[in-house]
Amino acid sequence: MGRRMRLTPAPLYIFLLICTCGYAFIPGVDGPVSNVETLEGGNVTLFCDSTPDSADDEFMILVWYKNNMPIYSFEIPNKQWSEPSFNTSSRLQADISSQPTAVTISSLSEEDQAMYHCRVDFRLSPTRNVGINVTVVVLPSPPFFMDEMSNKVTGRVGPYHDGDTLVLRCLVIGGRPPPRISWYSGDTMVDASDGDSEIPAVRENELYLPLTRDNAAALTCRAQNTVLAPPVVATLEVELYLPAYNVSIHWVRGTVGDALRAGSPALAHCTARGSYPQPELSWWLDRKHLTHHSNQSWFNSSLTAISFLELNPAVVDNGATLACVATNPVMAPNRGSNADVITLNVTYSPMVDIMKLGDGKLNDVVELDPLQLKCDIKANPPLERIRWYFNDIEIRPGGIWGDDTASEKLLVEEATRAHAGRYSCAAENAMGETRSDTIVITIFYPPECTGHGIRLVKETLHCYVKALPVPDTFFWHLQPSGFEVQHLTTGSPILPLDQITGPLGDALRASCEANNDVASQEEACDRTFTFEHLRPQQPQQCDIAYEFGEFQMRCVPVENATYYEVSVWRMSESNASLVLERRASMGFGGARAAGARGRGRGGAGPCAPCGVGARAARGRGGGARLQPLRLLAPAADPPVGYTAASC
Ligand SMILES: *[C@@H]1O[C@H](CO)[C@@H](O)[C@H](O)[C@H]1NC(C)=O
Ligand SMILES: *[C@@H]1O[C@H](CO)[C@@H](O)[C@H](O)[C@H]1NC(C)=O
Ligand SMILES: *[C@@H]1O[C@H](CO)[C@@H](O)[C@H](O)[C@H]1NC(C)=O
Ligand SMILES: *[C@@H]1O[C@H](CO)[C@@H](O)[C@H](O)[C@H]1NC(C)=O
Ligand SMILES: *[C@@H]1O[C@H](CO)[C@@H](O)[C@H](O)[C@H]1NC(C)=O
Ligand SMILES: *[C@@H]1O[C@H](CO)[C@@H](O)[C@H](O)[C@H]1NC(C)=O
Ligand SMILES: *[C@@H]1O[C@H](CO)[C@@H](O)[C@H](O)[C@H]1NC(C)=O
Ligand SMILES: *[C@@H]1O[C@H](CO)[C@@H](O)[C@H](O)[C@H]1NC(C)=O
Ligand SMILES: *[C@@H]1O[C@H](CO)[C@@H](O)[C@H](O)[C@H]1NC(C)=O
């Protein structure tokens, strides 16, 4: 067949063309070929230059072929033809006026994929052929998912735990050319191993993905067979149980820096991120679960849980740990929990306690012993200053105080009575100053005489001493003149004179020493008393009788006499001394004016050698001279203060 046809009149030429159906364009031989890829449903514009090669030549006719079948022609003068299936008012548009001429085919379908070529004939020049290989890309249908059991999965899979392997097939029907199928996590491709499925015209990619927090979100399957259009994508939501990965406590208000203030409420919030599903946030203060004054909110888009805690810190909470624990309720506690722990810094003005150190009872110190006081202080932030107060006046260094009057201990090496009084201390830190309670320090000292030491008050001796504590024992040494020293002990400073044996006629040497358990008295109190001026008169006008084995004595009372005493003396049988047989007080018989009457029983019978003395004593007194009742040896020495007569 003569493919390079000679120029013929146009009408005839068309006829020839239409009839030469067997004529075939040979790419590369008959003319150049270009490739065009286009999408199904889109359009394609085919270009063909119909300009003659030389100015003296002339365009005759242009024909487009699809797979060698004519579909459109244009010839001079303006005469167009198009194949009915493409007709110019529906899918085919031609622009012949500009160069290169263009023919656009729209609403492309799979059937439009073909080798197109244009043929241009000129009056003089040889025929021109240009081929265009049009590929119509058919996009695949959207991917869908199937699990291991070949069940269709839509939208959401799970729940899974962290680390579980997700096994899932992504399937894609159709597409020309066959699409590539890949799995993506976000923008990262995680699996591109696709292949043909057992089902014809279906391709698939089976995913084996160990799930992590990072790859489980935004898992997609993409199918792509052209660069002309974005991949066809299906999204899968993976429900993955996750523990919170970041739990942190922050102070919202009520703090200065990160420090709390005892007694003033503070607000903390705890943020737990990354947990699915919503975690339970719990607050713990030193392992104690705080169940009040907190609330929780959940922001599902960012997997963030927030809990607020109102805390009213106390001094004891300083150094305590505050923990916020995020627990995922669907996970095992050891896998699903995460916590933040902070140490509380609770500031407060100092807490101050004063105390005495060392031996001795509570707040007592023995004179010349050391006095040691301690100011027990708890403070946060640390102390800045300590002050001591004595009787509410601040203690300054020097004087009866040492040089160190500003530390936690106040030390007096040798306490004196001047150190007795009220003590307190005060401590100051950045939060304020606190004053302790007051303690009263008592200085104990041994007894010592005061004033006259011993005084005589009425019928009693008083021992005047100063001492702390008050003495509980008094040792008396008493010596009536001419007598032995008598030692007496009393529990009080008073000694009734009648406890002293012997007459107190002339003088009495007395000394007392007190004891108060601190120490015994260094120097006893001494005094000598004379009773001359106090001596009452002798009993007056006494007469004595002996009847029925009894002595009877009567005297007229004398001024200042408070009692009378009857003594019965007997003559010693072996020598000439008087022996005191018995002594008794003598009552006042009847009216005082009637006199005093005493009775005594003679031990040895009526004729025993004996005598009776009376004593009118205001403690000390003179003896009464009595009539002899029985014969007394003239040589007998009558006892002091008594006069005896023979009977
Ligand atoms: C061909 O497609 C392009 C872009 O897709 C569009 O702008 C143009 O109008 C279309 N032409 C016809 C003739 O449909
Ligand atoms: C071209 O197509 C349009 C619409 O598809 C139709 O109305 C018209 O008759 C067709 N013309 C020819 C010549 O077939
Ligand atoms: C036309 O393009 C297709 C791909 O779309 C290709 O397979 C074919 O070989 C091409 N034909 C020619 C002649 O280049
Ligand atoms: C946890 O969150 C805090 C602030 O919210 C941040 O400073 C810290 O870096 C995070 N830690 C981790 C491990 O993500
Ligand atoms: C506690 O807070 C106070 C005041 O901000 C500060 O002086 C002190 O150093 C803090 N203590 C600790 C242990 O952080
Ligand atoms: C939680 O408590 C804090 C303080 O107590 C408050 O500011 C916040 O509005 C509360 N939030 C909710 C969700 O109740
Ligand atoms: C968050 O919760 C709301 C209401 O419960 C729901 O409409 C929304 O889809 C959820 N968002 C996410 C990311 O789960
Ligand atoms: C009696 O005692 C008083 C004082 O105690 C004294 O003044 C008076 O002289 C005494 N009388 C006699 C008689 O001794
Ligand atoms: C006299 O005799 C008495 C006993 O009758 C005796 O107790 C006393 O010691 C004697 N005195 C002298 C000086 O011997």
Side-chain angles (χ1 to χ4, degrees):
M1 282 289 284
R3 283 178 283 121
R4 305 283 174 270
M5 278 186 281
R6 295 197 56 82
L7 195 64
T8 43
L12 170 66
Y13 195 56
I14 287 172
F15 172 76
L16 281 174
L17 279 169
I18 292 167
C19 292
T20 53
C21 302
Y23 166 73
F25 171 77
I26 300 171
V29 175
D30 292 334
V33 173
S34 59
N35 287 296
V36 171
E37 202 177 271
T38 183
L39 288 175
E40 185 186 30
N43 60 33
V44 63
T45 299
L46 308 174
F47 295 99
C48 186
D49 191 350
S50 62
T51 324
D53 287 338
S54 59
D56 57 345
D57 203 348
E58 197 181 1
F59 164 78
M60 298 290 293
I61 184 167
L62 176 150
V63 185
W64 278 99
Y65 300 85
K66 173 187 173 187
N67 287 343
N68 297 316
M69 294 299 293
I71 53 168
Y72 173 78
S73 69
F74 171 76
E75 60 187 298
I76 294 175
N78 195 8
K79 187 173 181 189
Q80 282 189 76
W81 167 86
S82 66
E83 212 276 333
S85 63
F86 283 94
N87 92 36
T88 43
S89 57
S90 61
R91 292 180 59 219
L92 192 144
Q93 284 185 326
D95 177 7
I96 303 300
S97 55
S98 51
Q99 287 298 343
T101 64
V103 165
T104 299
I105 305 168
S106 55
S107 302
L108 289 168
S109 70
E110 272 186 81
E111 285 73 44
D112 293 321
Q113 174 161 318
M115 175 64 78
Y116 291 80
H117 77 274
C118 111
R119 171 188 165 152
V120 187
D121 285 327
F122 302 95
R123 183 177 300 281
L124 301 174
S125 307
T127 300
R128 182 185 294 164
N129 282 290
V130 174
I132 301 172
N133 186 5
V134 175
T135 303
V136 177
V137 173
V138 179
L139 293 179
S141 62
F144 61 95
F145 306 105
M146 279 179 141
D147 65 15
E148 290 164 284
M149 316 300 293
S150 292
N151 294 318
K152 201 171 173 193
V153 172
T154 48
R156 192 175 175 89
V157 285
Y160 295 96
H161 282 99
D162 206 5
D164 286 354
T165 300
L166 175 67
V167 180
L168 206 64
R169 288 191 291 156
C170 175
L171 298 99
V172 178
I173 300 171
R176 199 180 66 184
R180 296 299 316 270
I181 304 175
S182 336
W183 284 94
Y184 277 79
S185 167
D187 288 331
T188 310
M189 190 170 69
V190 292
D191 193 339
S193 61
D194 60 349
D196 288 327
S197 148
E198 305 131 21
I199 313 162
V202 174
R203 287 176 62 78
E204 68 169 50
N205 182 339
E206 189 166 21
L207 175 72
Y208 290 86
L209 182 68
L211 291 169
T212 67
R213 177 187 301 284
D214 297 326
N215 67 20
L219 205 59
T220 55
C221 177
R222 299 185 186 178
Q224 187 160 33
N225 62 353
T226 178
V227 295
L228 297 176
V232 184
V233 177
T235 303
L236 186 70
E237 202 181 307
V238 180
E239 190 176 4
L240 181 63
Y241 290 159
L242 292 166
Y245 69 90
N246 189 345
V247 181
S248 58
I249 299 174
H250 295 280
W251 294 108
V252 181
R253 60 164 189 262
T255 51
V256 178
D258 269 349
L260 298 159
R261 199 179 173 136
S264 52
L267 184 65
H269 79 106
C270 174
T271 311
R273 292 177 212 283
S275 175
Y276 181 84
Q278 174 175 188
E280 283 159 13
L281 300 184
S282 55
W283 292 91
W284 300 79
L285 183 60
D286 263 351
R287 296 166 193 276
K288 200 180 93 212
H289 191 181
L290 304 177
T291 51
H292 296 299
H293 313 301
S294 64
N295 62 22
Q296 181 172 338
S297 341
W298 172 244
F299 303 95
N300 62 359
S301 55
S302 57
L303 299 185
T304 301
I306 295 182
S307 174
F308 285 89
L309 173 74
E310 277 173 35
L311 187 70
N312 197 350
V315 170
V316 292
D317 296 328
N318 185 37
T321 53
L322 179 68
C324 171
V325 181
T327 308
N328 190 325
V330 301
M331 297 179 76
N334 57 341
R335 291 183 63 195
S337 291
N338 215 325
D340 189 22
V341 179
I342 62 172
T343 301
L344 298 187
N345 181 359
V346 181
T347 59
Y348 49 90
S349 52
M351 298 181 57
V352 184
D353 236 344
I354 187 171
M355 64 185 75
K356 181 181 103 35
L357 300 181
D359 308 331
K361 288 202 214 121
L362 199 55
N363 291 327
D364 303 334
V365 177
V366 173
E367 196 174 31
L368 302 184
D369 279 356
L371 165 64
Q372 257 195 96
L373 297 177
K374 179 164 187 224
C375 201
D376 203 26
I377 301 164
K378 274 186 17 185
N380 183 31
L383 274 189
E384 285 166 11
R385 186 153 62 160
I386 297 178
R387 291 182 231 255
W388 286 92
Y389 292 88
F390 176 62
N391 291 337
D392 294 325
I393 294 163
E394 191 182 340
I395 294 177
R396 306 276 183 193
I400 61 167
W401 313 103
D403 291 330
D404 184 10
T405 58
S407 57
E408 285 184 32
K409 282 188 186 169
L410 181 70
L411 174 65
V412 174
E413 300 276 4
E414 289 189 348
T416 66
R417 279 166 239 179
H419 292 108
R422 296 190 312 279
Y423 286 84
S424 61
C425 61
E428 187 182 331
N429 69 0
M431 309 300 291
E433 183 172 27
T434 315
R435 183 106 167 240
S436 72
D437 288 343
T438 296
I439 62 171
V440 177
I441 293 293
T442 306
I443 306 289
F444 282 170
Y445 52 93
E448 56 187 45
C449 291
T450 58
H452 296 292
I454 303 182
R455 283 172 66 195
L456 179 67
V457 179
K458 295 210 169 150
E459 301 297 319
T460 54
L461 290 179
H462 284 238
C463 185
Y464 286 93
V465 290
K466 296 198 291 200
L468 255 183
V470 173
D472 49 8
T473 318
F474 292 81
F475 300 107
W476 299 87
H477 311 285
L478 302 152
Q479 189 171 25
S481 53
F483 276 72
E484 293 289 300
V485 176
Q486 300 169 35
H487 302 285
L488 294 174
T489 304
T490 57
S492 77
I494 296 168
L495 178 75
L497 284 178
D498 59 10
Q499 291 190 14
I500 303 170
T501 311
L504 299 175
D506 298 332
L508 174 70
R509 270 203 67 191
S511 81
C512 69
E513 268 175 82
N515 190 321
N516 66 349
D517 281 348
V518 171
S520 48
Q521 196 168 329
E522 210 166 88
E523 266 182 68
C525 314
D526 274 310
R527 195 146 174 213
T528 302
F529 297 93
T530 55
F531 302 108
E532 267 322 309
H533 61 293
L534 289 173
R535 184 194 290 265
Q537 287 179 332
Q538 283 180 0
Q540 302 285 310
Q541 302 171 30
C542 295
D543 57 337
I544 193 162
Y546 185 77
E547 281 174 346
F548 314 116
E550 272 189 359
F551 299 103
Q552 294 239 4
M553 190 171 71
R554 272 172 182 276
C555 303
V556 172
V558 293
E559 199 178 350
N560 289 348
T562 52
Y563 77 98
Y564 297 85
E565 196 178 72
V566 180
S567 303
V568 180
W569 303 86
R570 183 168 50 78
M571 184 68 108
S572 167
E573 284 153 8
S574 56
N575 56 37
S577 20
L578 281 175
V579 178
L580 178 67
E581 180 161 292
R582 116 186 184 77
R583 174 177 283 162
S585 64
M586 186 165 77
F588 293 96
R592 198 181 159 129
R597 191 166 50 204
R599 287 165 188 269
R601 197 182 294 275
C607 288
C610 62
V612 174
R615 185 159 101 155
R618 188 192 171 103
R620 65 221 72 82
R625 290 169 201 281
L626 299 182
Q627 295 298 319
L629 196 66
R630 290 286 187 270
L631 189 71
L632 284 172
D637 233 0
V640 176
Y642 293 81
T643 308
S646 300
C647 57

